[in-house]
Amino acid sequence: MSKIAVFGSGSWASALAFVLACNNHDIKMYTRHKEVENEINIDHTNKKYLHDFILPSNISASTSLKEVINDCDYLLISIPSKEIDSLSGIKKYINSNPLVVNATKGFDPKSGLGIHYKEEEILKDIKIKGIVSLIGPTFASEVIKKQYTCITAVSKKTKNNQIIQKLFSNNFFRVYTNNDLIGCEISAGMKNIIAIASGICKGLGFENNTRAALITRGLSEIIRYGIYHKAKLKTFFSLACIGDLYLTCSSDESRNFQAGYQIGIDDSSTNLLKNNNKTIEGIEAVKIIVNNIKNTDISLPITESVYQILFENKKPSAVLQNLMKRDLKGE
């Protein structure tokens, strides 16, 4: 039995803690809120994210970073990408050379690459065995129901990937391995942008033909951006890319899809941006990607269209029509 520290207490952090608890590990979750600590420890629930689901007794929580991280074998990071700089605050408590598991998806604003690289930069002066990212088509709400789920453990170190593969895998949660960190993380971040576009299309009243075209052309954009950053072509036909892209663009469970749907219904992003209090990773991702391609010749028309809707106050119906009127070309 391993001691596993979880930095985060949201839906995905809780779902992954559940998987590890099912594998008989000792899980301690960090939360900033005393009421969440008490709820998890006393009632064994996390109702804000998992409703009435009962967490196993080998999952506990604490508001003390030192208590959570001290002497851990593994450190699981699952927080919104915009909060990734908060990792700096845990460095002084890491004292046991753990293997770090990254479950945060998003991009580093500076490099335009995945958040894994930002974590490496923050933790570079701390003794750890490495960082492995978990990427793939998953909804926390289905993982806790033990719906059959497949995901990928990815880093440049095969041995570390295999360790995490064995740590998480069981009879309902199957983990594959992949060494193409750049390709997997770009896929994980960009699919959220395409999911917003997919939701917009549904909100505007468009159906399956439109969604199929959007997902296919969106995949082309992910590949284009990934190849520019030296990703491997085969990665884009894996769980980390096409699997995650399909899931996120096709389900009301996706926050990014839901956000896009609201924008489509309103034919405007104003209401969503003004009132949203959820983590919509695609909103931050599209800013980073569009900024990163400014001085390149990379063509990402769907991505740029989502940016125009979100940050230039363009009307979604008009933007979509402009996409359809672009110069004709081959695939």
Side-chain angles (χ1 to χ4, degrees):
M1 180 175 70
S2 298
K3 180 182 178 182
I4 301 173
V6 181
F7 187 56
S9 59
S11 55
W12 191 221
S14 300
L16 289 175
F18 169 70
V19 173
L20 292 166
C22 289
N23 294 351
N24 298 315
H25 297 295
D26 180 25
I27 319 299
K28 179 78 78 172
M29 302 178 69
Y30 171 72
T31 174
R32 292 174 294 180
H33 308 289
K34 195 68 179 179
E35 62 271 23
V36 175
E37 175 188 56
N38 291 336
E39 182 188 352
I40 291 174
N41 292 340
I42 298 170
D43 300 328
H44 303 293
T45 60
N46 191 357
K47 290 186 177 181
K48 180 178 178 180
Y49 297 104
L50 302 182
H51 305 293
D52 292 326
F53 180 76
I54 303 299
L55 293 166
S57 59
N58 51 333
I59 296 177
S60 61
S62 176
T63 54
S64 167
L65 271 172
K66 182 177 181 180
E67 181 183 343
V68 170
I69 295 172
N70 187 53
D71 291 331
C72 66
D73 300 304
Y74 299 90
L75 170 60
L76 171 63
I77 299 167
S78 182
I79 57 176
S81 61
K82 64 183 180 181
E83 297 177 11
I84 203 65
D85 286 330
S86 65
L87 274 185
S88 298
I90 74 174
K91 291 163 63 173
K92 61 184 176 182
Y93 301 112
I94 299 175
N95 61 358
S96 52
N97 193 27
L99 181 54
V100 176
V101 182
N102 167 48
T104 295
K105 299 177 182 178
F107 291 102
D108 171 18
K110 185 177 179 180
S111 69
L113 295 176
I115 211 71
H116 185 118
Y117 294 92
K118 181 68 173 178
E119 292 179 3
E120 286 183 339
E121 179 184 333
I122 293 171
L123 300 176
K124 63 184 178 183
D125 54 347
I126 298 297
K127 191 175 181 182
I128 58 173
K129 292 185 175 71
I131 303 174
V132 178
S133 289
L134 283 178
I135 297 173
T138 51
F139 287 140
S141 60
E142 296 188 11
V143 170
I144 61 172
K145 295 176 185 175
K146 295 188 176 181
Q147 295 285 307
Y148 288 169
T149 299
C150 294
I151 197 169
T152 300
V154 55
S155 76
K156 295 177 182 179
K157 296 183 178 180
T158 299
K159 181 179 178 180
N160 284 347
N161 296 342
Q162 291 172 341
I163 290 170
I164 298 307
Q165 180 183 45
K166 292 178 181 178
L167 185 75
F168 280 87
S169 291
N170 55 35
N171 61 359
F172 68 90
F173 198 85
R174 181 176 174 86
V175 182
Y176 290 82
T177 62
N178 193 312
N179 294 109
D180 183 12
L181 182 60
I182 290 176
C184 288
E185 289 223 306
I186 283 174
S187 299
M190 284 192 72
K191 54 90 179 176
N192 290 325
I193 300 169
I194 308 304
I196 290 175
S198 182
I200 290 171
C201 289
K202 182 178 179 181
L204 288 170
F206 295 100
E207 300 180 11
N208 295 317
N209 287 359
T210 309
R211 183 178 300 168
L214 178 76
I215 291 174
T216 305
R217 298 310 303 164
L219 175 62
S220 294
E221 293 194 14
I222 295 171
I223 293 173
R224 213 172 293 142
Y225 186 77
I227 295 298
Y228 174 80
H229 284 290
K230 311 300 183 186
K232 298 175 183 177
L233 181 60
K234 68 177 183 179
T235 298
F236 301 106
F237 305 97
S238 69
L239 287 166
C241 184
I242 199 167
D244 211 357
L245 178 66
Y246 171 79
L247 180 72
T248 313
C249 288
S250 305
S251 175
D252 293 337
E253 286 282 317
S254 164
R255 290 181 180 180
N256 292 279
F257 183 88
Q258 289 175 353
Y261 180 69
Q262 185 60 57
I263 292 170
I265 289 288
D266 296 337
D267 205 10
S268 169
S269 64
T270 302
N271 182 46
L272 177 92
L273 294 176
K274 182 179 179 180
N275 298 302
N276 175 63
N277 57 7
K278 296 180 179 179
T279 300
I280 311 298
E281 292 286 3
I283 294 176
E284 188 65 25
V286 74
K287 284 196 294 186
I288 294 170
I289 295 297
V290 169
N291 182 66
N292 195 251
I293 65 171
K294 279 183 178 177
N295 298 315
T296 73
D297 59 357
I298 304 174
S299 175
L300 304 177
I302 297 171
T303 300
E304 291 175 314
S305 294
V306 173
Y307 181 89
Q308 291 167 5
I309 291 167
L310 288 170
F311 300 109
E312 296 179 357
N313 203 30
K314 297 289 181 69
K315 193 172 183 179
S317 56
V319 171
L320 185 59
Q321 182 59 220
N322 288 338
L323 273 175
M324 293 299 290
K325 289 181 176 178
R326 295 171 66 241
D327 291 342
L328 299 177
K329 56 186 287 187
E331 282 196 302

